[in-house]
Amino acid sequence: MIPIRCLSVFLVAVLAWTAQVFALTDTLEELIQEKGIIMLDLAARYPDAEAVILLYEEDVDQSRIINPVYISRHVVVKILKESAVEKFRTVKLPFYEEVKVVDMEARTINDGNIIKVKDIPERKPELEGQDADFIYAFEQRNTMFAVRSVEVNENPNAGDLLKISDNPVFHKKGAEVWRIRQIDFPEVRVGSVLEYFYRIEQKRIVLYERFFFQQEYPVLKSILSMHNAKLLRFAYEINNFTTKPEISFEPRFTNLESQYNNQIRTAMRTIDVTDRPENWQFYGHQFFQIQMDTLDAYPAWVPFAPPYGDVAPRADAFLREAVNLWQKSPQDIRIRTESFSPNWNFPVYRLSQSTIIDARRCRRAKDAIAEAIKDAASPEEKVAAAVRWTRENIKDNGELGKWDSYFWGCLPKDPDVVLRDGAGNAAEIVAFLVNALQLNDLWAYPAYAKTRDHGELLNKVFMEAQFDVPLVALEVGPRRFKFWQASTDIPLPVDHLDWSLEGVRVLINTSGENDITYRMDNLPVSPSTDSRSVINATLTLGQDGSVAGKLTQDLTGHLGAGLRHKLFVAPADQRGNIWEKSLTGTFSGIALQGQPSLDDPALFNSKYTATADVALEKVCSAVDGGLALNATMVTDPFSVWLSGEERELDVRFPFLAEFSCDIELKVPAGYALPDSLPEPLELRTKGLYYQRILAKKGGDTLLLKREFKMDEPALPVRNYNRRYASIFANIQKADAEKIILKKQ
């Protein structure tokens, strides 16, 4: 009999992982100190437990570009009751036939005395005899599932997704490809500590595995560590935790294999207009570790079987929620959105339950928001006032940005706790606002979005692995909502939404205690007139070809917010250099003449203004008989990436924007403007406008005016090549044109 379900979880086809070699410590005290195990009064904390797992650790080493992969597991169990002695005296460990056991040790510790297990034999499973209850891994698609004598029912309409099976082929296959290493611990009694460690080597890398943090018995310390090689095609999604674990992430790396990245980008990503592979897709971390302390026993009433296919969520590392099968509930559960696959049902239920309003948890939060909205009139004004007050008084700790996928099923901090601390993550701040607003008779709801740079919501992908931004939603009409970001990292307008949220689908959680209701809406797209860059410059051309003078830039909308984000985190003495690098043009560089005048990024204004004395480099060069001057000096950061050549990928602009530049350039004495200037140029098509005008002002001043406006966020590649490529080619040609100033 297998004493602990976790002890016989499959060891094959593990996700791409990496391991450092464990070693048994000399004493139990050293182990507790080394692993940071929180020791408790076990009998008092777990009065009903037969045994407690002191340590359950797995370390996977696939840091090499080529095989082998090493998987190590270290387990320490303490016997608390006589009934557990026989259950734990023998431990059977399953191994897939293709793996190689390179190290294995086991021992019993009684009152500090160590008794080593001298022999750990390997044999075939005897399913008709001593191993009738053996649990072995069953491979399905690219994932391994631990199942007993059952098979998964693929019918999502069935009440029970697992059914008893007597399929002889299924069991025969399992017996043929699996081996058992059996540990017989000596002198086991109440109070004994049983410890074993093993390390296996395998050649195959599989991208997903299940790691069980929660077990049939309480666990004091559960650790999962992964060390990964670059250029592995994988994406770890860490989700389905009831409480947030302690994690360590080491640097994310990018996969630069162009063909595969093209496929990923085309299918999932909506990035900028560049073709740089390093911007396309991330695949994971070279190292990450997840730790959890003092976990209660796995609930006996929950079937101990992993999810399967499209019937339940797929996850890589999880607690009990990921294991829940899609079961009928006694409650009247209704999902009012047809685009959900069965993948989404249980997560949606959990997500809804975690956001039910509880007046006891937000008495102070209710009063604080009531005071903040007392002078507002309409519901929209009240929500806006509450969001403004929250941004000023509740700090976003940035926790959501540290996770590949946040644990949306976790219970957020109580609103009163968020208010007391004056801080929380973005999801907890949204929960604070929604609770307080609803208790003030404003029916605001939590909403969940997936930013544009992470692509569309995918029905076949586990939901919690996709959301990355929570919002506050207020119903302002039949099936119409207005949205607010509860927190921003810099002062921004109360109705500001990040550019990466524009146009994306958002799920609004309008559920109640007994009714699960989700609605779907699209976030608005701000027009180009909201995000403008207006540059005015008065410059002088020197006889040596140098160009210098005063330049002023006004930025609004996403353009202003983007610059403010960069300047906000920069030291004051470096902000000028950051601003000048944000300017795009035909010059080779900008040199500041003295200190620029920059608005304080910490103080909100609807318009951000920067003014400086500048020198533009290499916009004019000496030629026979005079100077060759660039007809366009300042351009824009959108059109500069598009040369007009045919593309293989769609074009996506981050947001809609307008760029205008008016320059007065005084020509030096001894040089004359040409008799005729290039004709005004105007280019337009659906969603795109470009204008360039050159004119004389008096006898020694040249006016250069340029305007570019983009009102189409996405250009499918076929449409771009047929309709837009030639226009962008003409823009590049116009921006590169020269004017000859004749020397007199």
Side-chain angles (χ1 to χ4, degrees):
M1 176 178 182
I2 297 181
I4 308 176
R5 289 168 178 159
C6 74
L7 301 185
S8 53
V9 173
F10 58 87
L11 298 172
V12 67
V14 278
L15 203 151
W17 289 21
T18 54
Q20 62 184 32
V21 179
F22 299 141
L24 299 184
T25 50
D26 292 335
T27 65
L28 182 61
E29 289 72 21
E30 287 184 10
L31 175 72
I32 292 170
Q33 183 176 4
E34 177 186 335
K35 301 297 182 182
I37 299 172
I38 302 173
M39 288 303 295
L40 310 167
D41 183 341
L42 301 181
R45 175 66 182 266
Y46 307 111
D48 299 325
E50 297 176 307
V52 171
I53 302 172
L54 304 184
L55 175 67
Y56 187 67
E57 181 174 16
E58 183 166 304
D59 190 299
V60 183
D61 178 7
Q62 58 178 23
S63 55
R64 302 157 188 80
I65 297 298
I66 59 175
N67 59 55
V69 173
Y70 294 100
I71 302 103
S72 302
R73 188 166 288 174
H74 190 182
V75 180
V76 184
V77 180
K78 183 165 185 176
I79 306 298
L80 299 184
K81 294 186 178 181
E82 188 66 37
S83 57
V85 171
E86 290 303 317
K87 293 181 179 180
F88 282 89
R89 190 187 303 278
T90 299
V91 172
K92 301 173 185 177
L93 302 172
F95 295 93
Y96 194 58
E97 65 177 2
E98 293 185 5
V99 308
K100 176 183 177 183
V101 179
V102 295
D103 193 11
M104 178 172 283
E105 298 179 69
R107 63 186 182 179
T108 303
I109 304 175
N110 288 328
D111 300 325
N113 297 320
I114 297 176
I115 308 137
K116 292 186 177 181
V117 178
K118 296 181 180 180
D119 185 30
I120 306 176
E122 179 179 311
R123 57 180 176 79
K124 291 183 178 181
E126 299 177 13
L127 298 183
E128 303 300 326
Q130 61 175 320
D131 303 318
D133 62 346
F134 176 62
I135 298 177
Y136 53 87
F138 172 55
E139 187 168 7
Q140 190 62 244
R141 297 181 181 171
N142 286 328
T143 315
M144 302 299 298
F145 302 110
V147 295
R148 201 179 290 275
S149 300
V150 296
E151 66 181 16
V152 180
N153 185 352
E154 295 190 48
N155 179 7
N157 298 317
D160 187 359
L161 295 183
L162 291 180
K163 62 183 181 181
I164 300 300
S165 170
D166 294 322
N167 185 338
V169 176
F170 175 84
H171 299 293
K172 182 179 179 182
K173 178 181 178 181
E176 289 177 350
V177 300
W178 286 87
R179 301 292 183 269
I180 286 178
R181 284 290 184 102
Q182 181 169 318
I183 302 175
D184 295 311
F185 287 98
E187 301 184 28
V188 181
R189 61 175 186 259
V190 174
S192 293
V193 173
L194 309 181
E195 181 179 13
Y196 67 85
F197 157 79
Y198 58 80
R199 187 172 189 240
I200 64 172
E201 174 186 310
Q202 69 177 42
K203 295 182 179 180
R204 297 189 303 161
I205 292 179
V206 179
L207 303 187
Y208 290 92
E209 192 217 15
R210 308 298 194 258
F211 179 82
F212 297 86
F213 286 87
Q214 214 170 11
Q215 310 296 340
E216 185 177 357
Y217 299 90
V219 182
L220 296 190
K221 173 72 76 172
S222 188
I223 306 173
L224 170 63
S225 303
M226 303 181 184
H227 307 249
N228 306 298
K230 293 185 178 182
L231 303 180
L232 291 176
R233 301 175 182 176
F234 69 92
Y236 291 126
E237 299 293 355
I238 306 166
N239 42 43
N240 280 296
F241 289 79
T242 50
T243 57
K244 287 172 286 189
E246 176 185 345
I247 65 166
S248 299
F249 279 149
E250 282 306 317
R252 178 179 302 289
F253 55 83
T254 55
N255 185 338
L256 303 182
E257 188 175 349
S258 298
Q259 180 179 359
Y260 187 70
N261 275 286
N262 279 335
Q263 296 170 1
I264 291 292
R265 180 195 184 280
T266 302
M268 299 180 63
R269 301 289 159 165
T270 54
I271 58 163
D272 60 24
V273 298
T274 72
D275 283 334
R276 293 175 295 179
E278 62 268 22
N279 287 348
W280 291 352
Q281 168 76 325
F282 59 78
Y283 290 92
H285 296 269
Q286 290 178 262
F287 167 79
F288 72 80
Q289 183 179 80
I290 311 169
Q291 297 190 41
M292 299 198 76
D293 295 299
T294 58
L295 297 167
D296 291 333
Y298 191 92
W301 54 269
V302 177
F304 194 84
Y308 172 78
D310 292 335
V311 182
R314 184 178 72 179
D316 304 318
F318 59 89
L319 285 177
R320 66 176 180 267
E321 272 76 14
V323 181
N324 277 299
L325 301 177
W326 192 42
Q327 299 173 333
K328 292 183 178 179
S329 168
Q331 290 181 311
D332 178 22
I333 297 178
R334 288 172 288 162
I335 307 293
R336 295 178 182 171
T337 304
E338 296 179 356
S339 64
F340 293 157
S341 74
N343 251 11
W344 295 51
N345 285 278
F346 201 84
V348 164
Y349 172 72
R350 282 193 300 105
L351 191 59
S352 302
Q353 294 299 298
S354 70
T355 55
I356 292 176
I357 306 301
D358 185 349
R360 296 172 301 174
R361 299 185 294 120
C362 50
R363 292 188 178 97
R364 293 176 59 241
K366 173 188 174 183
D367 295 341
I369 293 301
E371 178 67 20
I373 66 176
K374 65 180 182 180
D375 297 327
S378 67
E380 288 187 45
E381 291 173 346
K382 290 181 178 180
V383 175
V387 171
R388 184 180 298 107
W389 183 92
T390 301
R391 289 187 183 178
E392 293 172 353
N393 293 276
I394 308 294
K395 182 180 180 181
D396 188 338
N397 60 24
E399 183 182 44
L400 249 63
K402 300 176 183 178
W403 303 90
D404 285 338
S405 52
Y406 180 67
F407 308 123
W408 299 98
C410 301
L411 287 175
K413 281 198 301 189
D414 290 349
D416 281 350
V417 175
V418 173
L419 180 63
R420 181 198 67 197
D421 296 344
N425 64 46
E428 291 166 342
I429 295 174
V430 165
F432 164 85
L433 268 171
V434 168
N435 276 263
L437 288 169
Q438 288 200 18
L439 291 172
N440 280 284
D441 299 322
L442 285 164
W443 291 99
Y445 303 101
Y448 316 100
K450 181 180 181 182
T451 49
R452 275 173 46 197
D453 54 344
H454 283 75
E456 296 289 330
L457 285 170
L458 304 174
N459 294 339
K460 299 298 182 181
V461 176
F462 182 57
M463 180 181 64
E464 290 181 338
Q466 301 188 66
F467 295 141
D468 53 3
V469 175
L471 302 168
V472 175
L474 176 70
E475 193 164 10
V476 295
R479 297 183 179 275
R480 292 191 304 109
F481 293 85
K482 185 169 182 179
F483 301 91
W484 288 266
Q485 276 182 266
S487 58
T488 55
D489 54 355
I490 62 172
L492 290 170
V494 69
D495 57 351
H496 171 84
L497 294 177
D498 288 342
W499 68 265
S500 60
L501 288 167
E502 291 197 343
V504 305
R505 286 194 299 170
V506 61
L507 274 73
I508 305 103
N509 181 0
T510 59
S511 303
E513 187 170 356
N514 297 311
D515 179 39
I516 295 182
T517 306
Y518 276 73
R519 299 183 184 178
M520 190 172 290
D521 201 355
N522 282 6
L523 293 175
V525 176
S526 59
S528 61
T529 51
D530 284 0
S531 297
R532 302 189 68 212
S533 167
V534 178
I535 291 177
N536 290 282
T538 303
L539 305 176
T540 300
L541 176 62
Q543 293 191 355
D544 59 354
S546 61
V547 174
K550 186 174 292 295
L551 185 149
T552 299
Q553 183 182 34
D554 294 325
L555 296 165
T556 60
H558 294 306
L559 292 170
L563 180 61
R564 287 158 63 91
H565 274 102
K566 295 177 182 179
L567 300 182
F568 187 79
V569 297
D573 59 351
Q574 296 180 18
R575 290 174 179 171
N577 293 330
I578 293 174
W579 168 70
E580 70 176 46
K581 291 177 182 177
S582 70
L583 298 174
T584 307
T586 60
F587 46 80
S588 63
I590 297 181
L592 296 179
Q593 309 292 309
Q595 290 296 321
S597 173
L598 304 174
D599 286 350
D600 186 348
L603 300 177
F604 169 70
N605 294 302
S606 59
K607 179 174 66 176
Y608 187 86
T609 301
T611 301
D613 291 321
V614 300
L616 304 183
E617 300 172 357
K618 296 184 179 180
V619 295
C620 187
S621 58
V623 295
D624 291 341
L627 296 173
L629 176 70
N630 294 355
T632 301
M633 296 184 187
V634 180
T635 57
D636 67 87
F638 282 15
S639 64
V640 69
W641 290 104
L642 299 167
S643 64
E645 296 179 356
E646 286 198 359
R647 293 172 55 87
E648 296 181 358
L649 302 173
D650 299 343
V651 175
R652 298 285 307 206
F653 295 97
F655 48 86
L656 309 182
E658 290 185 7
F659 304 88
S660 66
C661 177
D662 287 275
I663 297 176
E664 286 191 9
L665 179 69
K666 187 174 182 179
V667 177
Y671 289 87
L673 294 171
D675 296 335
S676 62
L677 295 171
E679 292 293 325
L681 177 63
E682 188 176 59
L683 304 170
R684 67 171 71 228
T685 188
K686 180 184 177 182
L688 185 153
Y689 178 80
Y690 174 86
Q691 183 186 58
R692 190 208 62 189
I693 297 175
L694 303 176
K696 298 178 183 179
K697 181 181 179 181
D700 62 352
T701 302
L702 180 65
L703 303 180
L704 300 92
K705 178 180 177 62
R706 184 188 188 273
E707 183 177 351
F708 175 80
K709 181 167 66 173
M710 198 66 216
D711 273 322
E712 196 73 19
L715 304 178
V717 61
R718 183 177 179 182
N719 194 26
Y720 173 84
N721 291 336
R722 179 178 58 86
R723 185 173 187 174
Y724 291 87
S726 60
I727 294 179
F728 280 104
N730 287 330
I731 291 175
Q732 295 283 356
K733 182 179 178 181
D735 287 345
E737 196 167 355
K738 301 280 188 179
I739 298 173
I740 304 301
L741 306 178
K742 295 181 179 179
K743 188 173 183 178
Q744 295 178 330

